[in-house]
Amino acid sequence: MKKDIEKKKKKGIGLALSGGGYRAALFHLGSLWRLNELGILKKIDEITSVSGGSILAAYVGLNWKNLKFQKDVAENFEELIVKPFRKFCSISIDIKCGALGMLSPFHHPSNLLISQYKKLLYGKDKLSDLPYDSQGPRFTFYATSLQTGASVRFAKPYMADYHLGMIMNPDLDMATVVAASSAFPSPFCPVKLRLDPSLWKETEGADLHDNKKMKSLLLLGDGGIYDNMGLERIWDTYETVMVSDAGRRMKMITDSFLIRVSQIGRALRSFHIAHQQNQAVRRRFLIELAKNNPSHVPVYWGIATEIEGYKDKNKVPTPPLMKDTDETRALKQVRTRLNKFEDSEQKALINWGYALADSAVRTHMTGYKEKMGKLPY
């Protein structure tokens, strides 16, 4: 959003979970596992998420009340979160929903995606079932409006598009919110959200608030279309900004045949280049914020990060739990689909997210340097 609709807090911890399908969800699962062991998960004020990150964040949020914290560590995290979520990531849903939806005159792929999320993860749970701010982190989910071109944010207290305004305490199924956040174009885009236009509250800068038609029907796509790291809500709101980034990395093309002969190929390549540059700018901006504000602590780890490059302020390397190898470098090219991930793939991604989060935290946050972890698998 151009201007946040809530008062800036300027303290606490915000965590952003990027998009990237099951790959991202599993990578973030490892990251959250390590943050929990370090006692940080319970201290986080807000978790923002996009696409694959939203699939996991919603599951964690809905189960937050059942996490049993002892000295800031949830002792049942593996049993309550890891095992059921890994089971979900062993089920393919993208081809099933996409193909059946495109062949059926009665069901759009996005509606089938919502049905699968309800069946396999969220049931009838709603945004309102997430914890209050006093009970746990605020969970904020990003989608993108295909009409206004802005991000649309969903949380327990409100949903908002800065062009339209805000709806307080939205009555929305969690499965629908996550489907909108992960509605990668195409076939799952758009997710159609029909709303009572009278529910919208006018906010500062809401230049389309009087457009009843737009407030009645939102056409939503993947949150990553606008911001695949989900950073804007938290990067100037909290002093400590943590980012777990498992987004797509663009491959170099040495054989230009497809680009030369195919208009679709050129269009897709142009989209990927623009998307990569957008994310690169956000990463650089996060670093610049820290340079200009000494109290601002960015803690970034990405699936393409060289783990052996983490060094503290005195240029002293933080001992990593893993080493950079051909196998770890290959993880950044793993598919970002919502299809079955084998046991070995899941363990590799979880371990990598766990190890990178460990190195990032012990390098950039005080009080954690000596708290070595042990890889889950």
Side-chain angles (χ1 to χ4, degrees):
M1 292 186 176
K2 288 182 180 177
K3 187 171 184 178
D4 207 308
I5 53 182
E6 293 191 308
K7 185 178 180 180
K8 304 295 184 185
K9 296 180 182 178
K10 297 298 183 186
K11 61 181 179 179
I13 302 173
L15 169 65
L17 304 178
S18 78
Y22 281 178
R23 180 182 84 182
L26 290 162
F27 179 85
H28 301 325
L29 183 61
S31 297
L32 293 187
W33 199 338
R34 184 58 181 139
L35 294 181
N36 175 57
E37 290 179 352
L38 288 166
I40 295 173
L41 181 63
K42 192 174 187 294
K43 299 175 183 177
I44 294 174
D45 296 279
E46 183 165 357
I47 297 176
T48 61
S49 60
V50 179
S51 195
S54 291
I55 299 174
L56 175 62
Y59 189 73
V60 173
L62 292 172
N63 285 282
W64 189 268
K65 61 182 179 293
N66 297 317
L67 288 171
K68 297 178 181 179
F69 286 98
Q70 295 292 333
K71 296 182 179 179
D72 292 335
V73 177
E75 297 181 335
N76 61 336
F77 184 84
E78 182 179 1
E79 195 67 30
L80 183 67
I81 303 298
V82 176
K83 291 182 179 180
F85 196 79
R86 283 196 58 192
K87 182 178 179 181
F88 167 74
C89 291
S90 67
I91 301 172
S92 296
I93 61 176
D94 56 356
I95 294 296
K96 179 180 179 180
C97 295
L100 289 178
M102 288 187 289
L103 293 172
S104 171
F106 306 107
H107 301 287
H108 189 271
S110 62
N111 293 330
L112 295 177
L113 184 62
I114 292 170
S115 296
Q116 286 295 298
Y117 284 152
K118 285 184 177 180
K119 176 183 177 181
L120 299 172
L121 274 185
Y122 312 122
K124 297 180 180 180
D125 287 344
K126 296 176 175 288
L127 270 176
S128 57
D129 294 312
L130 292 169
Y132 289 99
D133 290 355
S134 60
Q135 298 171 328
R138 174 178 294 187
F139 291 84
T140 299
F141 307 90
Y142 280 80
T144 301
S145 170
L146 302 182
Q147 297 142 296
T148 68
S151 67
V152 179
R153 299 175 186 175
F154 299 90
K156 183 184 179 79
Y158 72 91
M159 65 166 287
D161 177 321
Y162 76 82
H163 288 291
L164 301 176
M166 174 193 297
I167 293 179
M168 306 305 298
N169 304 311
D171 183 26
L172 296 171
D173 291 335
M174 182 58 75
T176 301
V177 171
V178 175
S181 182
S182 58
F184 189 80
S186 57
F188 300 116
C189 186
V191 169
K192 296 180 180 179
L193 197 57
R194 300 185 185 279
L195 300 163
D196 180 350
S198 66
L199 295 176
W200 288 92
K201 173 185 176 182
E202 187 172 6
T203 54
E204 183 180 352
D207 53 324
L208 296 174
H209 180 72
D210 294 330
N211 191 315
K212 183 177 180 180
K213 184 176 181 180
M214 293 186 71
K215 292 188 297 182
S216 301
L217 175 63
L218 301 188
L219 302 178
L220 303 175
D222 192 299
I225 299 171
Y226 183 87
D227 175 8
N228 198 49
M229 288 190 289
L231 261 175
E232 281 198 2
R233 164 72 189 140
I234 64 171
W235 62 7
D236 58 357
T237 303
Y238 300 100
E239 287 184 350
T240 301
V241 178
M242 311 180 79
V243 183
S244 181
D245 181 11
R248 179 189 295 273
R249 292 297 187 270
M250 187 176 64
K251 293 182 179 179
M252 298 296 177
I253 295 181
T254 55
D255 183 356
S256 61
F257 177 77
L258 185 63
I259 297 176
R260 287 186 284 110
V261 303
S262 170
Q263 290 186 6
I264 295 177
R266 289 192 291 273
L268 287 174
R269 186 62 176 174
S270 298
F271 171 79
H272 290 155
I273 292 172
H275 183 267
Q276 288 293 307
Q277 291 305 307
N278 176 286
Q279 300 313 305
V281 167
R282 293 177 189 278
R283 284 191 290 269
R284 288 196 294 270
F285 185 73
L286 183 65
I287 295 171
E288 287 301 315
L289 275 177
K291 290 180 179 178
N292 297 329
N293 184 356
S295 66
H296 190 85
V297 182
V299 185
Y300 173 91
W301 61 94
I303 198 167
T305 300
E306 295 285 327
I307 196 169
E308 293 172 56
Y310 280 106
K311 295 179 176 64
D312 64 21
K313 293 179 180 179
N314 297 316
K315 306 299 182 182
V316 177
T318 300
L321 296 176
M322 296 177 67
K323 292 188 177 297
D324 298 304
T325 64
D326 290 342
E327 287 74 19
T328 62
R329 295 185 184 97
L331 292 175
K332 64 184 178 183
Q333 301 299 346
V334 170
R335 64 199 179 284
T336 56
R337 289 177 49 193
L338 305 178
N339 74 333
K340 179 178 180 178
F341 272 60
E342 300 294 343
D343 181 70
S344 59
E345 295 178 302
Q346 292 195 20
K347 289 178 177 178
L349 286 163
I350 290 171
N351 273 354
W352 191 227
Y354 181 103
L356 283 168
D358 173 82
S359 286
V361 168
R362 291 193 299 112
T363 298
H364 296 296
M365 296 178 69
T366 58
Y368 297 96
K369 188 172 182 61
E370 304 306 321
K371 295 184 178 182
M372 294 286 290
K374 180 181 179 181
L375 291 176
Y377 304 110

